[in-house]
Amino acid sequence: MKIAIGNDHAATELKFVIKDYVESLGHEVINFGTDDNESCDYPAFGKAVGEAVVAKEADCGILICGTGVGISIAANKVKGVRAAVCSDVATAHLVKEHNNANIIAFGARIVGQELAKDIVKAYLEAEFEGGRHQRRIDMIHDIEE
């Protein structure tokens, strides 16, 4: 699977940890984030990952900023993105199973490295359940239109 990753300056260290972890699981990572700690603007990275996922250049995305919130809001402005902030494993599973989230986000100032790995693993292993959940995804799509 190809996974787009994006981050701002608050999450550079965690981005590299997650990038290495995702690659160790056998996935390809496309890096859209900053690679240093110089102050930068997270909306650009949320947008870049969102556009890559919607264009099918990546199968899904991972976004990391200080809280995960700002960068996910930016990504959600891209038509077709369903980005969800996950600060625990249960949420990471459910956003895929019920919401078919195509991007997850979390905060480098909120979760530690090991929890971040667990969140990513839970998300990547989960599968969309469809059924009644698809009707709700369709409703979300209608809002975008």
Side-chain angles (χ1 to χ4, degrees):
M1 195 168 10
K2 282 187 181 178
I3 301 170
I5 193 166
N7 64 288
D8 71 358
H9 58 279
T12 302
E13 181 182 338
L14 184 56
K15 183 267 295 280
F16 284 119
V17 169
I18 296 304
K19 179 182 179 294
D20 290 346
Y21 177 69
V22 168
E23 289 172 341
S24 79
L25 296 174
H27 304 291
E28 179 183 342
V29 175
I30 307 167
N31 181 9
F32 288 94
T34 185
D35 290 338
D36 61 46
N37 297 320
E38 292 287 323
S39 182
C40 60
D41 300 318
Y42 60 79
F45 304 112
K47 179 179 185 237
V49 169
E51 289 176 343
V53 169
V54 169
K56 307 267 189 245
E57 295 167 14
D59 298 299
C60 63
I62 299 170
L63 294 171
I64 318 167
C65 67
T67 64
V69 175
I71 201 165
S72 68
I73 290 171
N76 277 317
K77 299 299 182 186
V78 177
K79 185 177 178 179
V81 167
R82 288 178 307 283
V85 178
C86 302
S87 297
D88 60 80
V89 172
T91 302
H93 233 284
L94 289 169
V95 300
K96 183 63 168 189
E97 290 176 349
H98 292 190
N99 309 113
N100 202 18
N102 48 16
I103 298 174
I104 60 167
F106 45 87
R109 295 177 180 145
I110 306 300
V111 302
Q113 292 181 2
E114 294 308 310
L115 179 55
K117 289 178 192 177
D118 291 343
I119 288 168
V120 168
K121 185 172 194 243
Y123 172 74
L124 293 177
E125 290 180 350
E127 293 186 26
F128 180 53
E129 292 178 356
R132 71 184 189 279
H133 303 296
Q134 183 59 55
R135 182 179 77 247
R136 295 166 185 151
I137 300 304
D138 293 341
M139 291 172 75
I140 292 169
H141 175 74
D142 290 345
I143 292 169
E144 287 182 324
E145 298 303 317

